[in-house]
Amino acid sequence: MAGTESGALSSVLAEWSLLLWTLCAVLLPVLVTLWCSSHRSRRQMLIRDIFCKSKHDWHYTDLFVQPSYCCVCAQHILRGAFCCCCGLRVCEGCLKKAEQHFHCKEIVMRSEGGAARGSMQHHWIRGNVPLCSHCMVCRQQCGTQPKLCDYRCVWCQCTVHDECMLDCLKVQECTFGEFKDLIIPPYYLSTIDQMRKDRRTDYEKHWIPVIVLANTRSGNNMGETLLGEFKILLNPIQVFDLSKITPAKALQLCSLLPCNAARILVCGGDGTVGWVLDAIDEMKIKGQERFIPQVAILPLGTGNDLSNTLGWGAGYAGEVPVEQILRNVMEADGVVLDRWKVQVTSKGYYNLRKPKVFTMNNYFSIGPDALMALNFHAHREKTPSLFSSRIINKAVYFFYGTKDCLVQECKDLNKKVELELDGERIELPNLEGIIVLNIGYWGGGCRLWEGMGDEPYPLARHDDGLLEVVGVHGSFHCAQIQVKLANPVRLGQAHTVRLILKSSKMPMQVDGEPWAQGPCTVTITHKTHALMLYHLGEQTDDDASSMSEQEHAREQTDEDV
């Protein structure tokens, strides 16, 4: 009897023990997760509080990619914050002390000499200097270890050994280093009014200040990283995020710089470049022609045909250091880019509406490539988070192109439209699409006008006031052209292009901005010129021969004039 009771008690205890362990196994992770979440929330609120009141441009990170040491406690850190302007790195616990003891870059300050090129002291930050740097005093290598044993100036980027710092303090003047001709000194804006009253022009010699405009939403989302790297090398006041400020407001800085001296570096796709060029046109309307900047491109978009045409490449993925990008901007040559007015006047009932007016830099098209762009944009508006990679974007374009090969939504285009080049009617063969080109590249890197073969066609130029007009037989034909297995149908060159859509609704696009259009008349005429920068980088044999022929044609034109 006693054994039976003892067995029943043991069974009950075992059940309760199992229940207790089950509860612990379920509740313990939940409690730990809640505690961690609460602790992280409090920590983030504290950090956000510090960030809001800070003069530093702090960015919090859970993991430093490179070995880093806290500038306050000198301990190795994995999680903490870094300043995108001066490069200061601190752990979480030392953020308040860093605020008290370390100053960030002063973007505007009074000059000791009262001149735009007056004297300025170095601004030293200890530790985390670039590897394999050289000491400006003893010329020996420093930065071999990331520990807090060396110093770096946040303006000229010079580095110095800890033991050489006393000798360095004897010469405190900062020269702004390699990029002194690109940097807007922090004392310039405070003295410009007085200098203009005194009619002083000494600050204009060999000075080409650059303004960086980055679209953080373009292409592969590299804009955020680039903003920080440019702020470290330049004055943060000359680096703008286009997701927070419009190009028109950013370009107001040009009016405070020497006449015709400023250069703009646009980090984004062709659409971002067009946005900036529109803002520059507004400067012309306001009578600010003498402050018009020249425009360079860092291609972050998907197609980047304008960037490719001007020698800046088909896409940037971080393979070139930011320092080299700035050198390329300094060395680039000025060229002219034609800009065109595209007016779309609807017919019939829709004729009461105001005509659509676009500005074209690259190309206008009607047909399969416009249909692909229209489908792509509709898909991106529904799920924008999926389109953060250049590879994914091109894959989506490929999918819609393959779909159109089977459906052929744009067939018999030649029966629906009329084409006039400089007032002369052009007989159209059997086509599905018409493309009007201003630049040499189309479709993400294809030289559409020159094509392949030995037939003598005049080269496509972006500064001759002429448009090149070609036709395509469909999406499959477009794909063949891009891999150089076929040629487009060359329809001619003209100063003015008129296209009349007689019936049905067709997809159209201007520089990647697509829409579905009913019966209408499309008129393309020259609008204005833009001052661009051309980079003579690495070229293929085709590009080199094309450029030499373009130079020869330009020289011939100059002789004729």
Side-chain angles (χ1 to χ4, degrees), residues 427-447:
E427 290 297 328
L428 297 176
N430 185 20
L431 297 173
E432 288 191 25
I434 295 174
I435 304 167
V436 182
L437 297 158
N438 178 48
I439 60 176
Y441 285 94
W442 164 88
C446 174
R447 295 195 70 88

Side-chain angles (χ1 to χ4, degrees), residues 61-276:
T61 178
D62 283 322
L63 179 65
F64 280 97
V65 178
Q66 298 176 342
S68 301
Y69 288 79
C70 177
C71 292
V72 178
C73 65
Q75 297 298 312
H76 181 263
I77 53 174
L78 293 177
R79 184 173 62 194
F82 64 94
C83 177
C84 282
C85 294
C86 65
L88 195 69
R89 300 181 186 184
V90 294
C91 59
E92 285 183 12
C94 296
L95 268 172
K96 286 187 176 180
K97 290 182 179 178
E99 282 292 326
Q100 296 169 0
H101 294 94
F102 297 100
H103 297 288
C104 193
K105 278 185 173 181
E106 291 188 72
I107 60 177
V108 178
M109 61 180 288
R110 285 285 174 185
S111 168
E112 293 181 7
R117 286 293 176 189
S119 61
M120 177 177 170
Q121 293 184 343
H122 288 286
H123 182 161
W124 297 108
I125 292 292
R126 192 179 186 189
N128 302 305
V129 303
L131 297 178
C132 302
S133 302
H134 289 83
C135 176
M136 65 179 292
V137 176
C138 66
R139 303 299 178 186
Q140 297 298 314
Q141 189 172 354
C142 61
T144 53
Q145 296 181 355
K147 293 183 180 180
L148 301 181
C149 54
D150 300 319
Y151 291 84
R152 175 182 61 86
C153 174
V154 299
W155 285 107
C156 65
Q157 310 305 319
C158 288
T159 55
V160 63
H161 289 123
D162 201 354
E163 57 270 20
C164 296
M165 180 53 74
L166 287 177
D167 294 328
C168 183
L169 291 176
K170 296 176 183 177
V171 184
Q172 274 288 309
E173 185 176 349
C174 179
T175 62
F176 293 98
E178 179 185 1
F179 304 114
K180 63 181 180 297
D181 291 330
L182 299 182
I183 295 173
I184 299 177
Y187 43 72
Y188 173 80
L189 296 178
S190 63
T191 57
I192 181 60
D193 289 337
Q194 186 59 42
M195 283 188 294
R196 286 183 174 175
K197 287 178 183 178
D198 298 341
R199 297 185 178 180
R200 293 177 57 182
T201 59
D202 56 331
Y203 60 87
E204 298 184 16
K205 297 178 181 178
H206 309 294
W207 189 35
I208 47 171
V210 64
I211 299 173
V212 179
L213 307 179
N215 187 351
T216 55
R217 299 173 183 172
S218 286
N220 50 6
N221 290 332
M222 290 197 64
E224 194 74 38
T225 303
L226 287 168
L227 280 172
E229 293 181 356
F230 281 121
K231 284 180 179 179
I232 287 177
L233 293 175
L234 305 172
N235 189 334
I237 204 171
Q238 62 194 100
V239 182
F240 297 92
D241 182 355
L242 292 182
S243 66
K244 299 178 180 178
I245 188 171
T246 63
K249 290 185 177 179
L251 290 173
Q252 290 177 4
L253 182 58
C254 292
S255 63
L256 300 176
L257 299 173
C259 299
N260 305 121
R263 294 189 171 190
I264 301 292
L265 176 62
V266 181
C267 306
D270 287 348
T272 306
V273 178
W275 189 19
V276 173

Side-chain angles (χ1 to χ4, degrees), residues 272-319:
T272 306
V273 178
W275 189 19
V276 173
L277 294 182
D278 288 340
I280 292 176
D281 283 345
E282 291 179 14
M283 292 177 65
K284 297 177 184 177
I285 296 172
K286 295 176 181 177
Q288 298 177 336
E289 289 89 350
R290 58 197 182 118
F291 299 114
I292 296 298
Q294 294 176 306
V295 180
I297 306 171
L298 184 62
L300 302 182
T302 303
N304 304 311
D305 290 305
L306 180 57
S307 169
N308 216 355
T309 299
L310 297 175
W312 296 100
Y316 178 75
E319 67 280 3

Side-chain angles (χ1 to χ4, degrees), residues 350-507:
Y350 300 100
N351 194 31
L352 298 175
R353 295 182 181 178
K354 189 177 180 180
K356 298 177 184 177
V357 179
F358 303 89
T359 300
M360 183 186 83
N361 302 311
N362 298 358
Y363 37 72
F364 163 88
S365 69
I366 176 173
D369 66 326
L371 179 62
M372 284 187 280
L374 185 62
N375 289 329
F376 173 84
H377 278 262
H379 198 164
R380 185 166 63 177
E381 285 183 2
K382 291 180 181 177
T383 52
S385 59
L386 296 177
F387 296 84
S388 58
S389 166
R390 190 179 292 130
I391 295 176
I392 293 176
N393 294 351
K394 290 189 175 183
V396 174
Y397 265 104
F398 176 76
F399 167 76
Y400 283 119
T402 305
K403 177 184 174 184
D404 186 58
C405 287
L406 303 174
V407 180
Q408 292 184 314
E409 294 184 33
C410 303
K411 64 182 180 180
D412 297 328
L413 178 70
N414 54 298
K415 298 177 182 178
K416 302 173 184 176
V417 302
E418 293 179 3
L419 178 65
E420 294 180 6
L421 302 182
D422 289 336
E424 182 181 348
R425 173 83 177 273
I426 303 298
E427 290 297 328
L428 297 176
N430 185 20
L431 297 173
E432 288 191 25
I434 295 174
I435 304 167
V436 182
L437 297 158
N438 178 48
I439 60 176
Y441 285 94
W442 164 88
C446 174
R447 295 195 70 88
L448 193 62
W449 178 252
E450 285 84 1
M452 55 182 286
D454 300 325
E455 298 179 57
Y457 283 94
L459 288 171
R461 289 172 51 184
H462 48 74
D463 61 352
D464 58 357
L466 282 173
L467 295 166
E468 288 73 38
V469 186
V470 300
V472 294
H473 297 302
S475 296
F476 185 65
H477 187 207
C478 290
Q480 287 180 308
I481 293 170
Q482 288 184 319
V483 295
K484 297 187 177 181
L485 294 177
N487 274 329
V489 180
R490 294 177 177 86
L491 301 173
Q493 291 179 302
H495 297 88
T496 302
V497 175
R498 178 173 286 106
L499 189 146
I500 303 169
L501 179 60
K502 297 181 289 186
S503 61
S504 75
K505 181 177 283 191
M506 295 294 291

